[in-house]
Amino acid sequence: MACNIRTIFVASLASIVFLTSLYHHHHLFHPQPIISSENLPLHPHIHPNYAIQEHHHHQQQIVPDSIPSVSILLPAWEVLVVVSPATPIPPDFIAGPFTCLFPNNVSSPAKPAGFLPAPYRTTFKCDFPTILHRRLPFPQPILTRSPERSTLPQSPELLRWNFLVYDSVSTENDVALFVKGLNHRQGGYRLANEFRCVFGDDDGVNGVKTTVTTSYQEVFRCRIPETSAFSNSGGGRIRISLEMSEQKRVVPSLAYYTPARKVVVEQPKSLLCACTMVYNVAKFLKEWVVYHSSIGVDRFILYDNESDDDLQRVVQELVQEGYNVTILFWLWPKTQEAGFSHSAIYANTSCSWMMYIDVDEFVYSPSWLNSPNPSHQMLKSLLPQSPSSKIGQVMISCYEFGPSNQSSHPLMGVTQGYNCRRRSDNRHKSIVLLDAVDESLLNVIHHFKLKQGYREMKMSVEDAVVNHYKFQAWSEFKTKFRRRVSAYVVDWMQEMNPESKDRTPGLGFVPVEPEGWLEKFCEEYDERLKDLTRRWFGFESPPADVGKDE
C-alpha cells in the first residue's frame, strides 16, 4: 500500500514538473506579441454602454493629492489625462510635479499638455509603461502630485483614441460632434440614420436623444433638444455623445454641449481671415502673418497641434503689435480635416471668407510685381465682387519649391531663402465663403464641399499663385515625419502607399536625408516673390524669430 502511494506521488510530481516546463517553454520561446497602440480592439473588455466617469475611486483616501480625471490612450503609447471640469487646477499648480500612477506600483511622469475649452479642463500626458503593454485590459492611471506608491483598486479601462467622441462645437440650431472610429476611411461614410445624439446621461438610457442629420468624415451633426429637457445637475455642464442605434451602444465621450454664444451687439464680420493647423512654427509665423496681413488678411486663426516651441510668445508679440491672431488648442492627432470643419462653424460669426493655407505657403499675384507697396485690398481683389455670382470657393494653384541649396533655415525667411521650384503647379489651396460651406462640413486638402447652388472658381497662375515652400532645408523638412496631420494620409514611417502624391519622391520611410537633397526639386528658378517682398519690407536685418532654432 505504501509503495502504491509513493508511486502515485512520484508520478503526480513528475506530471507537474513536466507541465510546468511546457508552460515556461511556450512563454520563453513563443512570447506574446506587444500590442500596437494604433491597432487596438475597440473596448474589448467593457460594457457596450460604458459611461465615462471621472476617475474618483475614493482616490483621496487611497492616494494623497490625487485628482479626478479620465484618460485616453493615444498613438505611440501616450496617455492623455483630462482633469475633471469639477476640479480645475490653479495655474500656479500646473507646473507640477505630477505622476500617472498605475496598478502594481507602476508610474510614469505626467507633463502639462494644455487646456480644453468649454468647459475649461487641464490636460496632462504621460507614457504608458512598457511593462503594461501586454496586459489587457489597459488600466487608467490615477493623476497625483504624490510620488508615493499605493495599492490601487481595480482601475477602469483606458479609453481608446480610435473610438471616441473627442470634441464638439455648436451653432444656434445644432451641434457638430467630432468622432473617431466610425467613418474609417475617405469616402466610406455610414448613414446618419444609424446614429442618435445623446445629451446628458452617458449610458444612453436616461439621456435626451436627438436625430443625427449628417455623417461625413469625423463630423456628425445633431439636432439640439429643448433646454427644458436638461436637469441642472453637473454645474450646467451637459455631456454629449453618439449612440449607434442598432447596437444600442454609446461611444465614450470627452465632449460637452455648450450653447452657441449669443452676441448682444453684433460686430461686423471680417471680410477675409486665414486658418491653418500648426506644430512648432514659431520661427516661421511672423513672416507669414506680417506678409498676409499687409495684403489683406484681417484675422488669423491657428489650430495648435501640440506645439512645444515659443509659439505662445510669438503670438503674444504679434498681438501686441496690432495683429489679430487667435490660438485654439487642438491636441487631437491626425485630425486636420476635422479641425477645418470645426473652424467653418467657429469662425462663421466673425469671418465672411476663410483662406485655408499652411504657414509655409504664401499667396501672391504676378500683377502685383510692379507695386511699390503692399495693399490691404490685394487679396480681397481676388474674391468675387458680386454676391449674385454664387461663387463660394476660390481655388489657387501651388508651385512647390525645393531646398534651393539651403542647409539650414534661411536667416531672412523662406521667401528670401528658397528660389527654385518644380516647373509645373501641383494641387491648389482655397479661399472659402463660410456661408457657402455644405452642412456636412466635408473637406479634403484645404477644399470644401459647397452647398447646392454655389460654384467654384479656379484662378489661372497668371492671376494668382501659392508659393509652397514645401521641400525646405533637411533640418526643417524632416519634422514632417513626426505625424501627418490628415486623418486619411498614411504616416511617412509606415511602409504603405509608396506612390501616394503626399509622399516626397525619392524619400524613404525613415527621416534620413536622401542623397542630393540640396539640389532636389529644382527645375526652374523663380525669384518673383523674393524680389517683391524685399522691395516691400526691406529685410536689412533678419525678421524677429526667423533665425532662431527652437
Side-chain angles (χ1 to χ4, degrees):
M1 181 68 179
C3 181
N4 289 338
I5 292 174
R6 284 195 299 272
T7 302
I8 293 171
F9 175 76
V10 171
S12 299
L13 183 61
S15 298
I16 292 171
V17 171
F18 175 72
L19 292 173
T20 302
S21 66
L22 281 179
Y23 173 83
H24 285 288
H25 179 273
H26 174 77
H27 280 266
L28 284 173
F29 295 98
H30 303 279
Q32 298 179 12
I34 294 179
I35 302 165
S36 167
S37 66
E38 300 188 34
N39 190 26
L40 293 167
L42 302 181
H43 301 280
H45 298 279
I46 60 179
H47 189 274
N49 278 344
Y50 174 74
I52 295 183
Q53 302 293 339
E54 278 75 22
H55 189 7
H56 291 276
H57 280 288
H58 305 292
Q59 294 176 13
Q60 301 298 337
Q61 288 75 29
I62 299 170
V63 180
D65 298 321
S66 61
I67 301 166
S69 60
V70 63
S71 299
I72 304 93
L73 182 61
L74 299 177
W77 297 106
E78 284 186 310
V79 175
L80 174 68
V81 182
V82 181
V83 175
S84 168
T87 54
I89 300 178
D92 54 336
F93 275 67
I94 293 174
F98 288 88
T99 298
C100 285
L101 189 59
F102 295 86
N104 301 322
N105 290 329
V106 179
S107 65
S108 178
K111 298 179 180 179
F115 307 94
L116 298 180
Y120 176 89
R121 287 160 289 169
T122 308
T123 68
F124 293 82
K125 276 191 174 181
C126 58
D127 292 331
F128 189 69
T130 304
I131 195 173
L132 301 178
H133 286 194
R134 298 180 181 178
R135 300 179 183 178
L136 288 173
F138 296 149
Q140 289 195 36
I142 285 177
L143 181 67
T144 176
R145 291 178 59 90
S146 173
E148 297 177 11
R149 300 291 189 267
S150 304
T151 301
L152 303 183
Q154 182 68 32
S155 295
E157 184 177 356
L158 268 174
L159 304 182
R160 306 289 172 76
W161 170 239
N162 56 3
F163 188 63
L164 184 71
V165 180
Y166 59 91
D167 216 322
S168 69
V169 61
S170 302
T171 71
E172 291 185 359
N173 303 312
D174 70 353
V175 57
L177 295 186
F178 299 89
V179 188
K180 279 284 186 183
L182 298 180
N183 290 331
H184 294 283
R185 59 186 177 83
Q186 188 80 319
Y189 310 130
R190 299 173 65 171
L191 298 176
N193 61 14
E194 296 181 32
F195 306 97
R196 288 187 296 178
C197 276
V198 181
F199 293 78
D201 196 327
D202 289 317
D203 62 13
V205 176
N206 300 315
V208 180
K209 299 179 182 180
T210 66
T211 303
V212 174
T213 57
T214 64
S215 162
Y216 288 92
Q217 294 179 319
E218 296 180 1
V219 183
F220 297 77
R221 298 190 75 160
C222 314
R223 301 292 185 194
I224 297 175
E226 295 293 331
T227 54
S228 59
F230 301 121
S231 66
N232 292 323
S233 60
R237 295 181 294 272
I238 303 169
R239 182 88 71 179
I240 181 171
S241 190
L242 199 67
E243 179 188 63
M244 295 181 284
S245 301
E246 186 174 338
Q247 298 95 323
K248 302 295 183 183
R249 185 181 187 187
V250 177
V251 181
S253 176
L254 293 178
Y256 288 82
Y257 166 60
T258 303
R261 296 166 295 176
K262 292 185 178 180
V263 181
V264 178
V265 179
E266 287 194 11
Q267 299 294 325
K269 288 186 179 183
S270 298
L271 178 60
L272 179 60
C273 303
C275 177
T276 189
M277 189 164 289
V278 299
Y279 169 72
N280 284 2
V281 298
K283 70 173 71 172
F284 311 104
L285 186 63
K286 186 167 186 177
E287 179 185 14
W288 185 77
V289 168
V290 170
Y291 171 78
H292 285 101
S293 176
S294 70
I295 60 174
V297 174
D298 302 314
R299 182 186 179 195
F300 300 85
I301 301 174
L302 312 179
Y303 279 70
D304 180 14
N305 195 215
E306 292 190 276
S307 297
D308 55 11
D309 60 355
D310 282 342
L311 179 66
Q312 292 281 351
R313 178 185 61 80
V314 173
V315 168
Q316 288 174 1
E317 291 176 356
L318 286 167
V319 170
Q320 290 171 358
E321 293 172 15
Y323 297 98
N324 190 338
V325 185
T326 300
I327 294 181
L328 295 181
F329 183 62
W330 189 262
L331 61 82
W332 319 116
K334 293 184 74 65
T335 55
Q336 177 172 267
E337 294 86 356
F340 288 169
S341 295
H342 184 281
S343 74
I345 292 179
Y346 171 82
N348 187 269
T349 57
S350 57
C351 302
S352 294
W353 290 83
M354 183 68 76
M355 181 168 67
Y356 290 94
I357 61 173
D358 296 327
V359 176
D360 59 357
E361 295 172 331
F362 290 70
V363 182
Y364 85 101
S365 170
S367 66
W368 305 342
L369 293 177
N370 294 322
S371 300
N373 297 295
S375 163
H376 291 291
Q377 296 304 312
M378 284 179 163
L379 271 179
K380 293 165 183 173
S381 69
L382 305 180
L383 302 177
Q385 302 304 305
S386 171
S388 62
S389 68
K390 302 300 286 185
I391 294 173
Q393 189 158 227
V394 177
M395 300 184 295
I396 306 175
S397 297
C398 300
Y399 282 136
E400 295 178 344
F401 281 70
S404 306
N405 280 303
Q406 297 287 343
S407 57
S408 61
H409 179 64
L411 291 178
M412 304 301 291
V414 296
T415 59
Q416 297 301 301
Y418 300 107
N419 63 349
C420 197
R421 61 170 172 83
R422 287 173 153 179
R423 184 166 289 108
S424 300
D425 59 280
N426 182 38
R427 291 183 170 172
H428 66 267
K429 297 301 169 77
S430 299
I431 307 176
V432 185
L433 179 64
L434 293 182
D435 282 341
V437 172
D438 186 73
E439 295 297 321
S440 66
L441 305 177
L442 178 64
N443 67 92
V444 182
I445 314 175
H446 304 72
H447 177 85
F448 276 84
K449 179 181 179 181
L450 301 179
K451 292 176 181 175
Q452 189 172 1
Y454 285 92
R455 62 189 180 92
E456 300 167 341
M457 177 180 72
K458 185 171 184 179
M459 307 203 72
S460 71
V461 293
E462 288 76 27
D463 293 326
V465 70
V466 175
N467 273 14
H468 185 183
Y469 300 102
K470 181 176 181 178
F471 308 110
Q472 298 189 17
W474 180 256
S475 59
E476 305 299 335
F477 183 81
K478 68 180 180 181
T479 61
K480 291 181 180 287
F481 277 87
R482 167 183 173 262
R483 186 171 61 222
R484 308 303 288 143
V485 294
S486 170
Y488 305 100
V489 171
V490 174
D491 289 347
W492 284 359
M493 295 185 74
Q494 297 179 27
E495 298 186 18
M496 298 173 62
N497 296 344
E499 302 302 320
S500 168
K501 287 186 177 181
D502 176 72
R503 290 191 180 275
T504 301
L507 197 65
F509 300 105
V510 292
V512 176
E513 182 174 355
E515 184 177 354
W517 178 259
L518 292 176
E519 294 83 25
K520 278 186 177 294
F521 318 112
C522 181
E523 298 173 352
E524 182 173 308
Y525 284 95
D526 184 345
E527 297 193 338
R528 291 177 295 176
L529 185 57
K530 176 181 178 179
D531 294 340
L532 185 64
T533 52
R534 178 175 293 177
R535 181 167 70 249
W536 285 353
F537 304 111
F539 294 125
E540 295 180 1
S541 60
D545 295 290
V546 166
K548 294 183 180 180
D549 290 327
E550 308 298 342

